Structure formats: C-alpha cells, structure tokens
Amino acid sequence: MPDKEEIRLQAFLAHCGVASRRASEQIILDGRVAVNGNVVTALGTKVTEKDTVTVDGNQVFLEEKKRYVLLNKPAGFVCSSSDEKGRQVAADLLKDAYKERLYNVGRLDMYSKGMILFTNDGSFAKILSHPSSQLEKEYIVETSQDIPEDFPAKFEKGIRVDESFYKCKRCEILKARKVKIVLIEGKNREIRTVLESENIGTKSLVRVRIGNLRLDDLKPGQFRDLTEREVQGLLQLCKQ
C-alpha cells in the first residue's frame, strides 16, 4: 500500500500476517496493539505504513509475499496462534520454513488429523471462512461401533443435539465402522458430537479434502505451498 494510504488497524494487522481481520479485531479490543507507542482499542482507528504498530510489544510489518500453505496436521496439535495450556501448536510445524507469520484458516480439533490451510492473506482467509462460501470439507471417520444404516439419511436431513442443529451435505457408509462425511459449515466438533448423540465413538477423524484440494500422499506433519491455480480454484468455489 502507498505510504500515505490510511487503512483500518484490523486490516493493517491482517496484511501484516498477524491474524484474519476478525481475529485482529479481538486482538485490538484486548488491548494488545499499540500505535506509535499508544495502546489502541478503537476498531475505527486508521494507520499508514509510516506508523509504528506493535502487537504484544513486538513491531509488525506489512508483508509483501502472500503465502498459501497446506498442512497435514497430525493428532495432538491445536489450531491457534498460541496455547495457554502448553499444548503443541500446528503453526509451529511451519515456522522454520516460512519467515512470514502464518495463521490457520478454519480449525481442526486437537485429536483430528488432516488438511488445514495457513496463510498471511487476510482477504483470502475471510472469503474461505465465511459461512456463505459453501466450501466443501470432506472427512473420513473410523468409529468404535457399527454405523446404523439410517445414519447417513438422518445426518443429511439434520440432527438436533441439545440447542444445536447439525446437517451435513453428504454422508456415505464405506464399511461397518467407516464413514465419509462432507460438511459445508463445520461447527465446533460437529462430527464427533453427532456421532456421540447416536452412541457412536470416534476412533479416527481425518479431513481429506477442502474444496478442490486433496490430501493425496502428503504425510502427517508435512506441508506444501498451494499453486496459483489451486488458490484461484478455491476462491472460485466460494459462493460469494
């Protein structure tokens, strides 16, 4: 951006690779951001490239190179920028390979494995994360009990658990204890919660596809850059 162009502080943080715009807003509200030495908590604050902006006391800079990274997350890693409980953070698997600060697009719970995207492009993250994107995520789930024959139809129609309503796009039983599930708007621990409501335990949950991307032969803990064609393909799939 030109030196004198003013943009909102949360957008500036997103362009610096701190977090998505929405997550940056919370960082500002939490009093973690200072502009020219003064803590700022107003979301309407505007800054230019000449301002000194710090997060938790560390200065942040606009990043010129946009990164789009696919990670095969192993079990045992959390999807957050840091963890107060001292658990392993998925982003740490990337930090030796990229100097840019990358953050995850969407989440996988600590015990789930498979595809998770990382980027420093706030606009890209916002488009993919918005519920209206209708971006498909495909999971292969192994269970500890046999899956009832009527489960796919029930999940596709919608299942209410407590105060929440869960509905998948597609569900297919592959084996007695193995099922493929396609979600569009994945709520927190959705698949595990729905299976538990049917008294079915989850042994393994792996996300194998996001939109036009497949896990293929990427091993747990491995990652790769997306191609420009893959990035554009993801954006084109988002129905905004």
Side-chain angles (χ1 to χ4, degrees):
M1 89 182 183
D3 286 351
K4 295 183 179 180
E5 182 183 345
E6 289 189 334
I7 63 172
R8 290 181 180 273
L9 183 55
Q10 57 266 40
F12 182 89
L13 295 179
H15 287 307
C16 290
V18 173
S20 66
R21 292 193 189 195
R22 182 176 297 179
S24 293
E25 289 178 356
Q26 190 58 52
I27 291 172
I28 295 167
L29 293 172
D30 289 342
R32 297 169 56 191
V33 181
V35 178
N36 301 323
N38 300 310
V39 174
V40 173
T41 56
L43 296 181
T45 302
K46 291 188 176 182
V47 296
T48 72
E49 194 171 352
K50 290 188 174 181
D51 289 309
T52 299
V53 179
T54 60
V55 179
D56 297 332
N58 300 311
Q59 187 172 357
V60 296
F61 302 91
L62 290 171
E63 294 178 339
E64 295 180 2
K65 184 171 182 61
K66 298 299 183 186
R67 295 286 189 181
Y68 310 92
V69 181
L70 170 61
L71 167 72
N72 184 351
K73 186 186 88 68
F77 288 78
V78 296
C79 292
S80 61
S81 56
S82 60
D83 186 70
E84 67 282 355
K85 297 180 181 178
R87 296 173 295 185
Q88 298 180 101
V89 177
D92 287 347
L93 294 169
L94 308 176
K95 65 181 182 181
D96 290 338
Y98 301 95
K99 64 180 180 63
E100 297 87 0
R101 182 172 179 177
L102 305 177
Y103 50 90
N104 48 284
V105 182
R107 292 175 180 270
L108 280 174
D109 69 56
M110 185 173 74
Y111 301 106
S112 297
K113 300 175 285 188
M115 298 177 68
I116 185 84
L117 296 175
F118 285 82
T119 189
N120 59 347
D121 185 340
S123 298
F124 174 81
K126 181 179 179 182
I127 292 171
L128 264 64
S129 300
H130 199 278
S132 66
S133 70
Q134 301 285 288
L135 192 63
E136 290 188 359
K137 291 96 174 176
E138 182 178 315
Y139 304 81
I140 300 297
V141 187
E142 295 184 8
T143 63
S144 50
Q145 287 83 28
D146 289 357
I147 302 162
E149 290 184 6
D150 63 345
F151 176 75
K154 289 174 65 176
F155 199 1
E156 289 174 2
K157 184 177 181 179
I159 296 174
R160 183 169 295 281
V161 182
D162 298 327
E163 300 299 317
S164 298
F165 184 73
Y166 302 99
K167 182 179 180 180
C168 71
K169 183 171 183 179
R170 290 190 300 278
C171 183
E172 177 187 351
I173 296 176
L174 304 177
K175 294 181 179 178
R177 298 188 177 187
K178 189 174 185 179
V179 63
K180 177 171 70 177
I181 297 171
V182 177
L183 300 180
I184 289 178
E185 182 188 354
K187 299 183 175 72
N188 184 38
R189 293 177 57 83
E190 175 167 348
I191 293 174
R192 294 180 188 275
T193 299
V194 169
L195 288 171
E196 286 170 8
S197 74
E198 300 289 316
N199 297 312
I200 302 170
T202 301
K203 288 181 64 178
S204 171
L205 190 156
V206 184
R207 183 192 282 161
V208 296
R209 180 173 67 87
I210 298 175
N212 57 322
L213 305 177
R214 289 195 173 275
L215 201 54
D216 294 329
D217 58 353
L218 204 64
K219 302 291 189 295
Q222 292 183 340
F223 52 87
R224 67 171 179 84
D225 291 305
L226 299 188
T227 65
E228 179 62 27
R229 184 175 182 178
E230 288 174 329
V231 172
Q232 293 306 316
L234 281 171
L235 293 173
Q236 290 170 10
L237 286 172
C238 295
K239 303 179 185 301
Q240 296 199 52

